[in-house]
Amino acid sequence: MQKVDRNQYIHTVIGVILMFCGWVIPPVEPITEIGMQLVGIFLGLVYLWTTSGMLWPSLLGIAAMIISDYGTMNSVLAASFGNFSVWSAVLMMAIFGLIEQYGVNDYIVRWILTRKIINGRPWMFTFVWIFTPFFLAVLGAGFAAIFMFWALTYKLAEDLGYQKGDTYISLLLFGIVIGVAIASAILPFQPWILQISGIWQSMASASPFTYVQHLVLSLLISLVILASFVLLMRFIFKANVKPLEQITTDYFNASPLPPMNHLQKFLLLSIPLFILALFLSGVLPTNWGITKILSKLGAVGISLIVFVIFCCVRQDGKSIVDMKFLAGNKIAWDLAFLLACVMTISSALTADVTGVKPFLAGILNPIFGGMSPFVLFAVLLAVCIFLTNFANNGVIALLLLSITYITTASMDIPNIGYFVTMLAFASQTAFLIPGSSIYGALLHGNEWLEAKFIYKTTICVVILTYIVFLLGWPLSLMLY
């Protein structure tokens, strides 16, 4: 007989009580009765997201908002499941999941790892080894890339004579996770950055950045972090790369892949064309007809058209899109429901009818009011990096975005988009404990990595990324 998880039931009861306590606790000026209801819902969600997962707490949160005096069922559902971030996330997962399903990612990996630049260059090989899962994660295959390259790393260690616990292999395993973690904040239409930017847009009624601004900054920051981690391996940890000195592209060409078929070539070509379509509206003249069409379509409309095209492509007499397979294996529905709930509660909390915004402003302004934009950025970033390593990273990002919006609402900060972008990045550097993020859980669950090693490496990575984020501030002032 299976044991009853009493702790989980206790967490559930506490979370539900918090969620509905706003109905019975008297309002605290200037928070209104509606504000108290929403604050209770938010506190319950934060607690349940941290202790019980994402799926059912998000659905319960949406139900609680429908019951509250904030809005009707139709308005809450429209604000949640009708939000562009939810649609974009689901469609992106379906599109890139389809590309992965047909094995296109295998050819991308093989092409990158067979560049002659790695021949006789152990540290260049190390960078390429970490960059490849990073690139796959940019294309939406993050978790698959981690497990794929962890398996490849074990094989590499066996072939080159490395042992379990050797510094180089341990750092390589850690670096793969770092690459995948930061890759989730690269493209502005990926689920994680959609959640972050969507939260801001729901509060500020405007996007914090253009696609081009975000891509340029996030890509540069990511590459600097990956290169800096390799330097950390070489000069701080002094990892032994002696066995790698003789490795060449022949190591990967030993078992060649079969030639790509026509469908795989089509899907491979669709990746840059799809991404280009998403960015064109931000770089073409605004008076062009194609620019107006792409701007009106946005990420959701373009994704819909691409997915429809995929549905029309047929192989062996049937569509290449198996919706049951994609829905069951490639679309993370718990993330979709989380996005739906987050978009609704974040915009509701900062609405004028709640009184929450002036309440928090009265507390935060004396603390942050006298700071310059850069000092404020440095402080909030440090708080984010610290807290995200001890609590759920999504919850921390949501909290700090609300604080950032309220604190900076009266400030003239031209590069506010850099605030949002770097908070998205900072909240992903959560590796210290298993509960900090899915990446922390994966690292602590890897039997090749000891907890002591993870703690030491995480501290170094946190300091490294914080410095890189601060150094990106002057560049952001030139782009915004």
Side-chain angles (χ1 to χ4, degrees):
M1 182 180 292
Q2 293 181 344
K3 291 183 178 180
V4 175
D5 190 347
R6 290 188 176 85
N7 288 337
Q8 189 54 59
Y9 285 124
I10 293 172
H11 288 314
T12 300
V13 172
I14 293 173
V16 172
I17 291 174
L18 284 172
M19 190 173 289
F20 292 97
C21 69
W23 272 263
V24 296
I25 298 177
V28 179
E29 289 291 339
I31 301 178
T32 64
E33 290 186 6
I34 295 176
M36 290 299 294
Q37 292 174 1
L38 292 174
V39 168
I41 295 171
F42 177 74
L43 292 176
L45 283 169
V46 169
Y47 185 85
L48 290 172
W49 281 333
T50 304
T51 61
S52 305
M54 295 186 292
L55 180 58
W56 72 262
S58 300
L59 293 173
L60 182 60
I62 293 172
M65 281 184 274
I66 293 174
I67 297 172
S68 74
D69 297 325
Y70 174 69
T72 64
M73 180 181 68
N74 288 338
S75 64
V76 172
L77 292 180
S80 54
F81 297 107
N83 188 276
F84 80 97
S85 297
V86 179
W87 276 84
S88 294
V90 171
L91 288 167
M92 294 297 171
M93 287 186 280
I95 289 171
F96 287 109
L98 179 73
I99 291 170
E100 180 188 2
Q101 177 188 349
Y102 284 94
V104 176
N105 289 345
D106 294 337
Y107 290 89
I108 295 174
V109 169
R110 184 57 57 92
W111 186 87
I112 294 175
L113 292 178
T114 53
R115 299 306 91 198
K116 293 183 179 179
I117 194 173
I118 71 171
N119 290 345
R121 298 183 177 95
W123 292 112
M124 180 57 69
F125 167 82
T126 302
F127 177 82
V128 172
W129 192 265
I130 296 174
F131 171 83
T132 306
F134 161 82
F135 185 75
L136 290 177
V138 170
L139 299 181
F143 295 125
I146 289 176
F147 293 115
M148 178 197 304
F149 269 79
W150 273 3
L152 291 173
T153 302
Y154 304 146
K155 180 65 166 58
L156 181 74
E158 179 184 345
D159 291 346
L160 298 181
Y162 283 108
Q163 301 297 319
K164 178 180 177 181
D166 284 349
T167 302
Y168 179 79
I169 294 298
S170 297
L171 288 169
L172 210 57
L173 293 170
F174 200 108
I176 290 166
V177 176
I178 292 174
V180 170
I182 62 176
S184 61
I186 296 288
L187 296 180
F189 44 79
Q190 287 179 317
W192 180 249
I193 195 64
L194 274 173
Q195 178 176 333
I196 300 299
S197 62
I199 292 170
W200 185 272
Q201 193 165 339
S202 68
M203 296 184 294
S205 301
S207 178
F209 47 65
T210 67
Y211 280 5
V212 175
Q213 288 170 330
H214 175 82
L215 179 65
V216 171
L217 279 170
S218 61
L219 190 57
L220 285 174
I221 291 293
S222 298
L223 292 176
V224 171
I225 289 175
L226 294 183
S228 300
F229 181 76
V230 174
L231 294 175
L232 199 71
M233 292 175 66
R234 182 174 184 177
F235 295 108
I236 303 300
F237 288 96
K238 300 187 184 300
N240 175 28
V241 293
K242 194 77 173 174
L244 289 164
E245 291 179 352
Q246 303 304 316
I247 200 166
T248 67
T249 55
D250 294 337
Y251 176 84
F252 303 103
N253 284 324
S255 55
L257 294 171
M260 295 184 74
N261 58 40
H262 292 300
L263 176 59
Q264 290 170 328
K265 291 178 180 178
F266 165 75
L267 292 174
L268 179 63
L269 180 62
S270 70
I271 297 173
L273 292 178
F274 174 46
I275 294 175
L276 181 64
L278 290 165
F279 282 93
L280 277 178
S281 61
V283 295
L284 294 177
T286 56
N287 60 336
W288 285 14
I290 185 65
T291 308
K292 294 177 181 178
I293 293 173
L294 291 174
S295 298
K296 193 169 184 179
L297 283 171
V300 175
I302 294 172
S303 301
L304 282 170
I305 291 174
V306 170
F307 193 69
V308 168
I309 292 173
F310 284 173
C311 289
C312 294
V313 176
R314 306 185 73 80
Q315 185 180 53
D316 299 328
K318 60 181 180 180
S319 171
I320 64 172
V321 175
D322 183 347
M323 198 59 205
K324 289 183 179 179
F325 176 81
L326 291 178
N329 297 276
K330 301 300 180 182
I331 299 176
W333 292 107
D334 52 349
L335 175 59
F337 288 123
L338 173 68
L339 276 171
C341 184
V342 164
M343 294 302 105
T344 314
I345 191 66
S346 59
S347 60
L349 276 174
T350 54
D352 293 336
V353 70
T354 66
V356 172
K357 190 162 57 176
F359 175 78
L360 289 178
I363 297 174
L364 297 174
N365 284 342
I367 300 174
F368 299 117
M371 295 182 179
S372 67
F374 176 73
V375 173
L376 177 63
F377 170 70
V379 171
L380 290 177
L381 199 65
V383 172
C384 180
I385 291 177
F386 177 79
L387 292 180
T388 198
N389 275 284
F390 291 96
N392 181 277
N393 61 333
V395 174
I396 296 303
L398 173 59
L399 286 169
L400 287 177
L401 276 170
S402 302
I403 292 173
T404 301
Y405 169 68
I406 293 169
T407 306
T408 61
S410 60
M411 301 174 67
D412 182 20
I413 304 178
N415 59 338
I416 191 64
Y418 191 65
F419 263 81
V420 179
T421 294
M422 289 303 104
L423 281 174
F425 271 89
S427 59
Q428 291 296 76
T429 58
F431 312 119
L432 191 66
I433 61 174
S436 56
S437 71
I438 184 63
Y439 305 110
L442 287 173
L443 284 169
H444 282 271
N446 189 312
E447 61 179 15
W448 281 54
L449 301 176
E450 296 181 354
K452 183 179 179 181
F453 169 82
I454 295 173
Y455 300 149
K456 179 176 65 174
T457 308
T458 298
I459 293 172
C460 293
V461 169
V462 162
I463 295 172
L464 171 69
T465 52
Y466 182 66
I467 293 172
V468 174
F469 295 154
L470 294 182
L471 292 177
W473 180 266
L475 178 61
S476 69
L477 291 173
M478 293 187 289
L479 287 176
Y480 285 90

